[in-house]
Amino acid sequence: MDSNLEFDAARAFAGQEHNHFIGGEWQPGASAGKIDSIDPGSGTVIGQIAAGNAEDVDHAVDAARAAFPAWSATGGIQRAKLMWALADALMANASALAMLESLDNGMPARMAGFGVMGAAENLRYNAGWAGKLAGETVSMSAPDHQAFTIREPVGVVGAIVPWNFPLAMAVAKLAPILAAGCTVVLKPAELTSMSALKLAELIAEVGFPAGVINVVTGHGAEAGQALVDHPGVAKIAFTGSTATGKGLLASAAGNLKRLSLELGGKSPTVIFADANLAAAAEGAAMSVFMNSGQVCVAGSRVLIQRSVFDQVIEAIVARARAIRVGSGQAPDTEIGPLISGQHRDRVLGYVEAGRSEGAEVLAGGKVRQGEGFFMEPTVFVNARPEHRIMREEIFGPVVAAVPFDDAEEAIAMANDTEYGLSASVWSREIGTALGAARKIDAGTVRVNGGAGLDPAMPFGGFKQSGWGRENGREGVLAFTETKSISIKL
Ligand code: NAD
């Protein structure tokens, strides 16, 4: 299909009536409430989703609980086959899904396409674990005993995801949940639910049993909160802001449900003088400007060794000025708009705070007038460690660059944050690069442009960036309980 037709198809899908996907059926909400979906590139309403409430969540949890005994008893190979079928269905609909995601979220359709591909790969990777979740035999201290462990699925999972990579985030939750043998209620972000609704259509088409995967749309404070409060939910897998994550702790205490938290970051990019400076500058720029900085691992602080500071900052500024900011549906766009007018104003507020606290803008710093929520890639220098732009997650295309003298100072600066999600290190010297990687407090450290995410690589935060790990074997085991069985011989 050509991209004009895909755009029309995405508009038509967005404009349809949307309900919740519960127990394998499309069900209208218990209330008539609706939430507008807005195209961030134009600021116009493209459709409406149902504003789910506690009653809808209750129905969805009931459906997931009813489906749990049969699904958890289904063999790993059978579950894997369905996961592969869903991956194939995603790929068969990849360009349509990418266009829909671009329209709803604003990101370039090309990048959304990578998200669809990544989602399919995630399902295939995790499908491989479905039949391989073994326990271990245990040598006991008690005489005449033998024990072993088994891994059992934890139960119904509530999966709550943010708006920055809507489909990829949703599937990254579903894949290990399904592999572990759990059933799930997914609550997409209220700003970007369209791709999750399209995903639910594909879930129905490929034949997942009713109730294994349910999708309830709605506001965080209502549908999301109801899911976290629900006593029938065994675990909440949450990705979102640190503030919201902290708020969930008290709610989850009700039935001591398990909680995994993938939260915010203030990730450092550390560039040593001996690095490939051109690659480092490009890596540093795209790490924070990609997806308009609405990336949890965005390298929003760049620490550059003093002897090469001017050279590297010049390259980052040049890249910031050259980035093609525009509609996500235009083929040559590198970065699209911010998600909403409110978020754009928040990001602009940080730029104003940076200026008023004494930092200097070398590139960008302005929002684009006219339609949509566009913001120029922005580079700050002369920021102090106590400035808000150095401490708080901005979640926009804004970077602050500061010089350091030696590795010890760089590591102290890198760790001077309450977050610990990710970091990047650039050096050609293995000892320098790995030494820094070992000493920086972050769940993922990328060396010389290493990938930040892969379904096989554990991902999660130190400090206030979260609890638990996604991806890899650890990511699937997170949806299981260990049971020990001992036998008296
Ligand atoms: P958010 O916390 O506002 O919302 C995330 C999700 O939680 C949404 O679906 C929202 O509806 C829901 N929610 C909000 N309040 C809730 C409540 N009281 N109970 C239950 N659910 C509730 O975050 P956001 O603004 O959508 O996303 C941006 C944040 O997400 C950033 O801080 C970013 O760093 C973080 N993030 C982290 C990762 C990671 O893997 N660590 C990945 C992407 C985004």
Side-chain angles (χ1 to χ4, degrees):
M1 219 195 275
D2 81 21
S3 58
N4 288 334
L5 291 176
E6 257 154 15
F7 181 72
D8 291 345
R11 290 290 309 221
F13 180 87
Q16 272 170 216
E17 185 182 343
H18 295 292
N19 292 314
H20 308 298
F21 183 67
I22 298 176
E25 287 172 5
W26 292 99
Q27 302 200 6
S31 87
K34 300 282 178 199
I35 301 169
D36 284 342
S37 287
I38 291 171
D39 163 17
S42 65
T44 57
V45 176
I46 54 167
Q48 288 191 317
I49 56 163
N53 62 18
E55 209 176 315
D56 300 312
V57 166
D58 209 29
H59 290 153
V61 173
D62 281 352
R65 285 177 72 85
F68 179 73
W71 179 249
S72 58
T74 300
I77 295 174
Q78 277 311 109
R79 282 186 281 119
K81 276 186 187 163
L82 283 167
M83 293 170 71
W84 272 83
L86 184 57
D88 292 345
L90 284 176
M91 289 315 295
N93 291 275
S95 45
L97 273 164
M99 188 56 88
L100 184 63
E101 189 89 308
S102 171
L103 184 64
D104 199 21
N105 163 284
M107 70 171 66
R110 210 169 82 86
M111 196 172 86
F114 292 131
V116 180
M117 225 184 300
E121 292 296 279
N122 200 322
L123 280 161
R124 291 173 179 144
Y125 170 81
N126 278 288
W129 282 116
K132 302 185 186 72
L133 297 176
E136 34 186 49
T137 54
V138 179
S139 303
M140 294 184 70
S141 318
D144 303 327
H145 275 73
Q146 176 64 57
F148 61 95
T149 64
I150 55 175
R151 290 284 185 165
E152 293 187 349
V154 67
V156 173
V157 179
I160 300 177
V161 293
W163 45 258
N164 59 336
F165 291 98
L167 182 74
M169 291 280 167
V171 173
K173 291 270 183 278
L174 297 185
I177 288 170
L178 297 169
C182 298
T183 57
V184 57
V185 177
L186 170 69
K187 209 297 282 172
E190 54 272 42
L191 295 174
T192 56
S193 293
M194 292 297 169
S195 56
L197 293 165
K198 183 76 191 164
L199 175 70
E201 280 190 4
L202 302 179
I203 285 164
E205 267 172 46
V206 302
F208 273 92
V212 169
I213 306 167
N214 307 275
V215 180
V216 174
T217 56
H219 289 292
E222 194 167 10
Q225 188 66 51
L227 197 53
V228 180
D229 288 338
H230 203 292
V233 172
K235 170 158 182 157
I236 291 288
F238 173 81
T239 298
S241 66
T242 293
T244 307
K246 285 182 182 175
L248 302 190
L249 295 180
S251 323
N255 65 342
L256 275 189
K257 58 173 65 69
R258 281 74 182 113
L259 193 56
S260 62
L261 300 171
E262 294 288 343
L263 308 176
K266 191 71 189 170
S267 300
T269 298
V270 183
I271 302 175
F272 288 94
D274 69 350
N276 174 339
L277 297 181
E282 172 69 16
M286 291 324 285
S287 158
V288 66
F289 297 141
M290 192 192 75
N291 208 23
S292 297
Q294 301 168 124
V295 179
C296 54
V297 296
S300 50
R301 297 180 293 144
V302 183
L303 317 178
I304 306 167
Q305 200 151 17
R306 198 177 298 277
S307 59
V308 295
F309 186 85
D310 290 348
Q311 185 185 344
V312 173
I313 204 69
E314 198 180 307
I316 293 175
V317 165
R319 189 69 179 97
R321 290 188 179 136
I323 283 180
R324 294 183 300 274
V325 183
S327 159
Q329 292 89 56
D332 62 346
T333 289
E334 286 182 283
I335 69 173
L338 292 167
I339 190 69
S340 66
Q342 193 186 9
H343 186 55
R344 176 202 53 198
D345 295 345
R346 185 177 166 273
V347 174
L348 192 60
Y350 275 109
V351 173
E352 280 158 10
R355 281 195 171 109
S356 67
E357 286 181 320
E360 184 191 346
V361 174
L362 288 191
K366 296 194 288 298
V367 298
R368 188 188 285 180
Q369 299 307 317
E371 279 193 339
F373 313 127
F374 295 93
M375 164 108 203
E376 294 173 354
T378 300
V379 181
F380 272 103
V381 290
N382 296 332
R384 302 274 320 141
E386 65 277 13
H387 288 171
R388 289 180 65 204
I389 57 168
M390 289 289 285
R391 308 216 71 80
E392 297 177 26
E393 182 181 50
I394 300 175
F395 226 54
V398 180
V399 68
V402 281
F404 66 86
D405 287 309
D406 57 22
E408 196 183 338
E409 189 188 12
I411 289 156
M413 287 161 82
N415 287 337
D416 183 18
T417 169
E418 66 194 22
Y419 293 108
L421 190 58
S422 174
S424 290
V425 176
W426 293 83
S427 167
R428 284 196 172 101
E429 215 278 302
I430 186 91
T432 305
L434 290 189
R438 293 274 297 266
K439 288 181 186 145
I440 293 175
D441 302 329
T444 301
V445 183
R446 308 165 58 184
V447 176
N448 294 335
L453 268 180
D454 187 281
M457 186 171 76
F459 177 81
F462 281 30
K463 301 197 274 187
Q464 295 193 35
S465 288
W467 280 356
R469 292 292 177 273
E470 292 192 332
N471 296 336
R473 180 167 176 266
E474 223 176 314
V476 190
L477 294 182
F479 295 104
T480 66
E481 293 279 15
T482 304
K483 181 178 279 177
S484 295
I485 299 179
S486 79
I487 306 156
K488 175 99 168 67
L489 300 177

